[in-house]
Amino acid sequence: MDGYASHPARIYVDGERGDWAELPVRHTDAPNDGEGVDLERVWIAHDDEYLFLRLELGEAVNLQEGNDLTLYLDTDDNPGTGQQALGLGAELAWTFGERSGRVVRNGDAEEVTHAALGFTSLPTVTSETFEVAFDRSAAPTDDGSLFEGDSLRVGLSTDGDRLPDADGGLGYVLSDADPPLDAPSLDAPTASALRMLSYNSVNDFDREQSAIFFETRQPSFRRIFDATNPGVIAFQEVYDQTADQVAAVADEALGLPDEWDWAKQGQDLVLGSRYPILDTHTIPGYENNVSGAFLLDADDALGTDLLVVNMHPPCCNYGPDDGEPSRNAQRQRVVDGVVAFLREVKQGDGPFDVPPKTPIVVLGDMNFVGDAQQPRTLRTGEIVHTDRYGPPAAPDWDGSPLLDTRPRQVASPLHTTWIAPGSSFPPGRLDYAFVTDSVLEVVHEFVLHTPALPADVRSAHGLRADDTPTASDHLPVVIDVTPR
C-alpha cells in the first residue's frame, strides 16, 4: 500500500498549472498501460477549506461529459467501509462525465450532487489537465461530514485504466493549512480607472423577462451595482425588452444614473454606459446568435474612444439537430465572426473607422463548455471557418493575442462565474473579459460571489449573502482599465 503525503498550499482553481509548479507529483502512472483515456499523473494539495487535485490525462477530454473517469475518496482511511473499489473502502465515488456521485456509509449508498460536495472543476473546455476542488466542510448526507478524519486515500479509474495500478490508492494527510489568500478587493485601486461589469441577467422565458425586471430580484441587483459602481455594464439575456425599457428600470429600480446611455444589439445584448455611446454594430455569428459592438466616447477616462464587444454564443453541447451544426460549431462561428470584425477594425475597414490603438474590450457570457479552440480563437485570432470569415489575425493592435483577464472571486480561490446548485453541471467559468493590453492596462479584476465574502466586507459595501444567488445564476465579472 502507498504511503502518505501532505502538501498544504495556496491553490487557485483557474484551470492553469502555475500554482502547482512547486508541488511534487503525488503519483506518476505507467504510460499507455490501459485502453481508452490514459491516466498519467495526479497532484494533491489542501488548505483549511478545500481538498485540491490536479489530474493529467493522456488526451484532451471534456471532464463534464462523455467520459467514465471516476474518483474514489476513502475519507475515513478504512478499507473495510464504503464502496469496495481499487482496494479502497471509498466513502465517495464521483464519476466526472456523469456529473454524479455516490456516498457509501454503513452499507447504505446515497446519490449526491456537486452542490452537496462543494465540488468545482476547471477548465470547462476540453483539456488534458484539470483542477478539482472539494469543500472539506461538505456534509452530503445525514451521517455528517464527508471528511471525517485527517487521513484519506485516493484512487482513479476509467474502464481501461486505473491510478495507481496497485490496490490501496494514494495516502494523503490533511494537516493544518492556512496559506494566505491573495484576495481581490471590491474597490478600484485608482479613481481614474474605467470600471466595466459583464452580467448575464438570466432570462425567465416563461415570463418573458430578464431578471432585472423582477421586483423580487431588483433589490439584490441594486446592492450589487451600488457596491461595484461600474461605469459600463454589458448585459446578456435581455431578450424581450428594449434598451429604453432597460434604461427605465435601471434608473427607477437599479439605482443607475438616468444620464447613462443605453443601446441594444442582437437578440439579447444590452450595454449601458456613463460615457456616451457614439455608434453600434451587429457582428454576424450563427443565425440569431450575433455579437454587438458599441463605440463609446471614453475620452474622460481613457483619453480616447473605447470599442466594446458584448458576446453571448449558444450554450451547451447538444446537437447537431435537424441538420443544424452542433452547439460547439455554432459557438465557433460566433467567435470567428468577432475575430473577423476585429481584423477589419485593425485594417481600417470596420464600421466605426476608429484610429489605430483604439482600446478594445471583448466580454460576455461566452458559454465555453466544449472545444478549447473557441476561447483560443478569441484570444489568438485563429479563425477556424476561414472560408466564411477570412484569414486568421491576431486581435491586438501590436499583432499579439488579447489578454484574458482571468478574474477570481473575492475572498475565494475559485475562478468560477456560473453557479446553479439545481443543475447537474458543476460551477463553471462561462463569463470572460478580454482586452487589447497593448494599449490598456488591467489594474484590477474580480468576480463577485456574495456568499463567499466575509460578513464585515458585505456590511461595509451594503451587500447581503444571498444577493448574487438571488439576482442570477451567473456572477458579475468586473475589470478596471486605464491607458497603458
Side-chain angles (χ1 to χ4, degrees):
M1 182 181 287
D2 179 273
Y4 291 82
S6 184
H7 303 299
R10 167 47 55 221
I11 299 296
Y12 295 107
V13 181
D14 58 0
E16 295 295 301
R17 62 190 68 183
D19 43 5
W20 295 89
E22 301 301 319
L23 296 181
V25 179
R26 181 64 188 85
H27 184 82
T28 300
D29 199 44
N32 303 314
D33 61 339
E35 299 178 357
V37 177
D38 194 35
L39 304 176
E40 293 193 344
R41 296 194 291 177
V42 62
W43 291 252
I44 310 176
H46 71 283
D47 62 18
D48 281 349
E49 294 185 89
Y50 293 96
L51 172 70
F52 303 103
L53 294 95
R54 180 179 170 218
L55 313 177
E56 186 175 284
L57 311 176
E59 62 185 76
V61 302
N62 186 332
L63 193 64
Q64 297 186 1
E65 51 192 345
N67 69 80
D68 59 4
L69 174 61
T70 300
L71 171 70
Y72 298 94
L73 294 181
D74 184 349
T75 58
D76 67 359
D77 197 14
N78 183 347
T81 61
Q83 178 177 336
Q84 302 302 300
L86 308 182
L88 299 170
E91 277 64 47
L92 174 66
W94 178 264
T95 302
F96 293 96
E98 296 178 1
R99 304 183 299 280
S100 67
R102 285 162 47 93
V103 169
V104 179
R105 281 203 176 106
N106 302 320
D108 296 325
E110 185 172 337
E111 297 294 321
V112 293
T113 66
H114 64 84
L117 300 168
F119 167 81
T120 299
S121 66
L122 286 180
T124 50
V125 295
T126 53
S127 179
E128 296 176 356
T129 61
F130 295 91
E131 289 182 290
V132 172
F134 290 93
D135 186 342
R136 289 178 55 186
S137 68
T141 67
D142 293 337
D143 293 331
S145 174
L146 175 64
F147 296 94
E148 296 181 336
D150 293 334
S151 60
L152 65 147
R153 302 195 72 84
V154 179
L156 291 156
S157 76
T158 66
D159 280 346
D161 197 11
R162 58 182 285 177
L163 184 159
D165 292 326
D167 279 352
L170 307 171
Y172 192 79
V173 175
L174 296 167
S175 60
D176 290 339
D178 190 21
L181 180 69
D182 180 19
S185 164
L186 274 66
D187 300 319
T190 171
S192 63
L194 188 157
R195 171 160 289 189
M196 307 182 69
L197 185 150
S198 177
Y199 212 163
N200 180 321
S201 58
V202 59
N203 192 76
D204 186 321
F205 289 96
D206 290 334
R207 298 173 65 177
E208 297 183 341
Q209 282 188 325
S210 173
I212 56 175
F213 289 88
F214 287 102
E215 291 185 4
T216 55
R217 300 192 188 197
Q218 286 170 346
S220 289
F221 278 110
R222 183 173 189 133
R223 286 189 290 270
I224 289 167
F225 296 142
D226 284 347
T228 55
N229 189 30
V232 176
I233 298 177
F235 283 125
Q236 303 88 42
E237 290 207 24
V238 185
Y239 289 98
D240 298 290
Q241 288 76 43
T242 66
D244 286 343
Q245 289 174 300
V246 174
V249 78
D251 174 39
E252 297 167 4
L254 305 184
L256 296 169
D258 59 4
E259 299 87 5
W260 276 34
D261 277 358
W262 293 89
K264 183 174 182 178
Q265 282 291 302
Q267 58 184 350
D268 70 311
L269 305 171
V270 173
L271 188 116
S273 172
R274 71 176 53 171
Y275 310 97
I277 299 177
L278 303 176
D279 204 352
T280 64
H281 177 71
T282 300
I283 303 172
Y286 175 77
E287 295 187 348
N288 290 333
N289 296 111
V290 301
S291 303
F294 303 81
L295 184 64
L296 311 183
D297 178 0
D299 191 67
D300 288 348
L302 303 177
T304 181
D305 291 345
L306 171 66
L307 178 55
V308 181
V309 177
N310 190 4
M311 295 181 64
H312 188 207
C315 81
C316 317
N317 282 331
Y318 48 82
D321 185 35
D322 296 332
E324 289 188 345
S326 69
R327 288 301 182 98
N328 241 330
Q330 293 177 28
R331 275 193 300 275
Q332 185 64 52
R333 283 170 58 170
V334 174
V335 171
D336 284 350
V338 169
V339 172
F341 168 77
L342 297 180
R343 182 192 63 222
E344 299 304 308
V345 167
K346 287 177 55 185
Q347 293 174 350
D349 298 327
F352 301 144
D353 191 26
V354 298
K357 299 187 177 180
T358 297
I360 302 171
V361 176
V362 182
L363 39 64
D365 171 12
M366 304 297 183
N367 280 317
F368 291 150
V369 294
D371 195 332
Q373 180 62 48
Q374 294 148 30
R376 183 162 56 246
T377 289
L378 193 53
R379 190 177 66 83
T380 66
E382 297 174 13
I383 292 175
V384 171
H385 300 100
T386 54
D387 56 335
R388 181 184 296 266
Y389 296 100
D396 205 338
W397 290 101
D398 63 353
S400 67
L402 297 177
L403 172 69
D404 180 356
T405 60
R406 293 190 175 276
R408 175 168 51 84
Q409 293 177 19
V410 179
S412 165
L414 308 180
H415 283 246
T416 47
T417 68
W418 174 80
I419 303 172
S423 169
S424 71
F425 286 92
R429 184 184 178 220
L430 306 186
D431 306 84
Y432 289 67
F434 298 86
V435 306
T436 50
D437 63 324
S438 68
V439 294
L440 276 181
E441 182 175 359
V442 179
V443 295
H444 191 46
E445 71 278 336
F446 65 88
V447 175
L448 182 62
H449 181 42
T450 51
L453 296 177
D456 60 334
V457 175
R458 286 197 298 264
S459 178
H461 292 278
L463 292 164
R464 300 180 183 179
D466 65 349
D467 275 339
T468 54
T470 296
S472 176
D473 54 356
H474 288 257
L475 303 177
V477 170
V478 178
I479 64 170
D480 296 320
V481 296
T482 60
R484 182 173 292 281

